[in-house]
Amino acid sequence: MIMIDRVETASDRIRNNHSQNGVIQPLLTDMYQINMAYAYWKSGKHDDTAVFDLFFRKNPFHGEFTIFAGLEECLKFLESFRYSESDIQYLKETMPESVEPEFFDYLSSITTKDVKVYAIDEGKVVFPRVPLLVLDGPLIVIQLLETTMLTLVNYASLVATNAARYRMAAGRKIKLLEFGLRRAQGPDGGLTASKYAYVGGFDGTSNVLAGKLYGIPVKGTHAHSYVSSYSSLDELHTQTLNHKETGAVMNLKDVSLAWRSLLADKLNILQSESSDGELAAFISFAIAFPSGFIALIDTYDVLKFELDWFEHLSIVASNDINEETIISLNEQGHKIDCFGIGTHLVTCQRQPALGCVFKLVEINGEAKIKLSQDVEKVTCPGKKAVYRLYGADGHALIDLMHRTSESAPKCGSRVLCRHPFQESKRAYVSPAKVEALFKLYWKDGKIQQDLPNLEEIRDRVTESLQTLRQDHKRNLNPTPYKVGVTDELYNFLHDLWLQNAPIGELF
């Protein structure tokens, strides 16, 4: 397939559109959240305060980094969170008759004005166990937010990460277009995929609605059906085209036939090898789009034509392309200018879910820990701060979690960093730069930070990835990025672990 792109200005591409998806509302949740809210309310816990961490346990796609995405959608959800009259009526009809009517009055009065949200900037690289969002506020309210916040972060971050991996595989000079709408998990999945594939580094989408809503450049080729719809040159009802520079009227059909004859002689092939119907389709499409002509030629064996001027055409390749395909083509020295990627990108076939979780880490000022026989599922208790420590070369060394009562690490000062669960894994770090990862994004019912547009988030993805060493980003056997805890948090975690673990008895 060959495409000659039209030129678009930067102003065409940049829009600061912060509209919210209408399906994101309080009832976009699991029923057990509503049930728990009632049980909390019934037992008098509606005045309890809690802290929850939203995080994931393992990087996707056998890689060692993840792109955090979906924060703006979470904030917009908090901004509009309110149960409508129809919501309350539906819950009255759905929940057991034993539920007290006063609970529904309580639900109708709930807002998020008493919730605080600390978060990492959207578009940053993030790693397992590090909270992406920390929610601090009324227990019942935050519990009701859980499922929606997870669905907004999980898929967005997964697609953005997948797109970033494609971008790294393709390099900066190759164009990447997202063609996945028809293969996505429903219309909302298609829109989300288009938005966050762009965040992750894709140059455009075939999804017209995503272009309108998010300001993403929209690109389109044509299908086999267009070519197949023509059977002969007699179907060309419009044959003329004005010359771009002189304005002179030309008969494109006559010009094309003349060139076909010349090329047949030059290439030493029979004119009968050329289909009149396909030629008619190409002529008609060129007349319709004289400055953005596209020719779908994957039914032709173009490799047998040794023509120098072929190298001046832009080649767009598509056909179930995945990350490994691009890497293999790179090794073969391909001359492709653009990849159109659909199924493997939007469905994230290598890993269909990121696995973010939402865990209680503090209740009424008391730290909480979740224990498990699987050590990776043991939570890091209490409200925490997180810092990214950088070396003198500008690369990130480690993400360090510590208790909020501790002093922040300082540049040039040695700090002991420990693996949260493995006692022997520890190291001193003297950072050349210290970056606080959490910002207060939500307080008093209002967004507290200026929200970037998609272009700015895209730039942040690129900049953040550049802070990682290449061995963390390589496709094969990447080096794990270190996430650690301070010595104080390590000891606090393990003391609390022992306090909560039942003592066995041998007989």
Side-chain angles (χ1 to χ4, degrees):
M1 180 166 59
I2 296 177
M3 175 190 292
I4 301 175
D5 286 324
R6 67 168 186 242
V7 177
E8 295 186 7
T9 64
S11 60
D12 291 331
R13 300 183 178 207
I14 300 176
R15 297 182 193 174
N16 192 357
N17 191 323
H18 298 296
S19 60
Q20 187 192 14
N21 186 332
V23 77
I24 302 170
Q25 52 187 286
L27 290 192
L28 185 67
T29 190
D30 295 308
M31 190 64 205
Y32 85 144
Q33 308 288 13
I34 307 291
N35 291 341
M36 280 191 290
Y38 177 65
Y40 284 143
W41 179 87
K42 178 70 174 174
S43 60
K45 293 179 68 68
H46 49 280
D47 290 328
D48 286 10
T49 60
V51 178
F52 284 79
D53 288 349
L54 189 155
F55 61 98
F56 60 94
R57 297 189 177 106
K58 187 176 180 180
N59 287 304
F61 313 119
H62 306 293
E64 290 298 340
F65 73 88
T66 300
I67 301 298
F68 174 39
L71 174 60
E72 180 188 322
E73 295 278 10
C74 290
L75 296 171
K76 289 297 180 181
F77 171 59
L78 294 174
E79 202 169 41
S80 63
F81 185 90
R82 196 68 182 258
Y83 290 96
S84 68
E85 290 183 11
S86 63
D87 292 340
I88 297 297
Q89 183 59 39
Y90 174 76
L91 292 175
K92 286 180 179 179
E93 297 168 356
T94 304
M95 298 186 75
E97 293 182 0
S98 59
V99 173
E100 298 178 24
E102 291 79 8
F103 170 68
F104 299 109
D105 295 334
Y106 171 76
L107 269 190
S108 65
S109 69
I110 283 180
T111 69
T112 58
K113 65 180 180 62
D114 295 322
V115 176
K116 293 180 182 177
V117 176
Y118 302 85
I120 297 175
D121 288 335
E122 187 164 7
K124 281 266 193 183
V125 288
V126 289
F127 305 97
R129 295 192 297 272
V130 175
L132 310 180
L133 297 101
V134 176
L135 285 81
D136 183 344
L139 170 63
I140 294 180
V141 177
I142 297 179
Q143 192 73 71
L144 291 168
L145 299 174
E146 174 183 354
T147 299
T148 316
M149 301 290 264
L150 284 171
T151 194
L152 292 175
V153 170
N154 260 314
Y155 185 56
S157 299
L158 189 70
V159 171
T161 305
N162 205 19
R165 292 179 62 89
Y166 276 98
R167 171 49 68 197
M168 289 193 305
R172 303 309 304 180
K173 295 182 180 180
I174 304 297
K175 284 190 175 182
L176 294 176
L177 301 178
E178 178 268 311
F179 286 172
L181 178 58
R182 63 183 60 194
R183 304 287 172 80
Q185 286 91 340
D188 189 67
L191 276 173
T192 302
S194 297
K195 179 178 181 179
Y196 292 105
Y198 187 63
V199 164
F202 272 58
D203 298 288
T205 178
S206 64
N207 187 339
V208 180
L209 184 56
K212 177 185 177 183
L213 294 177
Y214 308 125
I216 302 172
V218 179
K219 301 288 185 179
T221 57
H222 64 75
H224 293 98
S225 57
Y226 186 86
V227 179
S228 300
S229 70
Y230 284 84
S231 300
S232 73
L233 292 165
D234 294 335
E235 296 176 48
L236 285 171
H237 302 299
T238 302
Q239 302 179 9
T240 59
L241 184 67
N242 292 347
H243 193 282
K244 180 179 179 180
E245 297 175 357
T246 67
V249 177
M250 302 174 60
N251 188 299
L252 191 57
K253 172 185 171 182
D254 293 343
V255 172
S256 298
L257 289 173
W259 273 103
R260 183 172 71 172
S261 178
L262 290 171
L263 285 173
D265 293 339
K266 183 175 179 60
L267 299 175
N268 195 29
I269 61 175
L270 299 174
Q271 289 194 46
S272 59
E273 289 188 57
S274 170
S275 164
D276 284 353
E278 292 180 351
L279 179 59
F282 294 147
I283 292 172
S284 69
F285 207 81
I287 291 172
F289 297 99
S291 61
F293 175 63
I294 303 167
L296 189 69
I297 60 171
D298 60 355
T299 57
Y300 289 92
D301 182 7
V302 296
L303 295 180
K304 70 180 181 181
F305 301 144
E306 296 181 0
L307 299 174
D308 293 338
W309 52 268
F310 267 35
E311 68 184 55
H312 302 298
L313 297 175
S314 294
I315 302 175
V316 180
S318 66
N319 184 18
D320 213 25
I321 292 171
N322 58 27
E323 189 180 341
E324 286 72 22
T325 303
I326 295 176
I327 293 171
S328 176
L329 288 169
N330 289 343
E331 294 171 349
Q332 299 172 53
H334 72 83
K335 300 299 181 182
I336 296 168
D337 302 282
C338 176
F339 290 103
I341 304 171
T343 305
H344 288 275
L345 173 65
V346 303
T347 65
C348 300
Q349 286 191 350
R350 289 183 65 187
Q351 182 175 327
L354 176 58
C356 282
V357 293
F358 197 84
K359 297 299 180 183
L360 176 70
V361 295
E362 187 175 292
I363 184 78
N364 296 326
E366 179 185 354
K368 292 291 181 179
I369 185 171
K370 176 192 174 183
L371 301 183
S372 172
Q373 290 183 341
D374 182 352
V375 174
E376 290 298 315
K377 292 188 176 182
V378 174
T379 59
C380 196
K383 191 173 181 180
K384 299 168 289 293
V386 184
Y387 292 87
R388 185 161 293 170
L389 309 185
Y390 294 84
D393 61 0
H395 288 135
L397 297 172
I398 188 171
D399 281 11
L400 184 66
M401 295 186 284
H402 69 80
R403 305 184 71 189
T404 54
S405 58
E406 297 182 67
S407 299
K410 297 179 181 179
C411 294
S413 295
R414 196 169 69 160
V415 57
L416 177 59
C417 303
R418 306 192 64 165
H419 189 286
F421 307 120
Q422 299 181 31
E423 186 175 10
S424 62
K425 289 190 175 182
R426 53 188 177 172
Y428 284 108
V429 177
S430 298
K433 174 186 172 184
V434 176
E435 179 186 17
L437 291 185
F438 288 158
K439 292 179 182 176
L440 179 60
Y441 267 92
W442 180 265
K443 181 184 177 182
D444 299 329
K446 295 179 181 178
I447 297 173
Q448 300 295 311
Q449 306 284 340
D450 291 334
L451 297 182
N453 58 37
L454 287 189
E455 297 289 340
E456 293 167 331
I457 299 174
R458 271 166 58 87
D459 292 342
R460 184 178 289 152
V461 171
T462 302
E463 294 165 3
S464 191
L465 282 169
Q466 288 173 349
T467 67
L468 296 185
R469 296 197 315 261
Q470 188 57 42
D471 57 304
H472 294 309
K473 298 182 287 187
R474 66 190 176 207
N475 178 263
L476 184 62
N477 296 323
T479 303
Y481 179 84
K482 292 178 174 59
V483 173
V485 297
T486 61
D487 191 53
E488 182 176 331
L489 179 54
Y490 176 89
N491 290 318
F492 177 73
L493 187 162
H494 286 265
D495 288 344
L496 194 61
W497 191 340
L498 291 175
Q499 292 171 23
N500 285 269
I503 299 176
E505 186 172 350
L506 300 178
F507 296 95

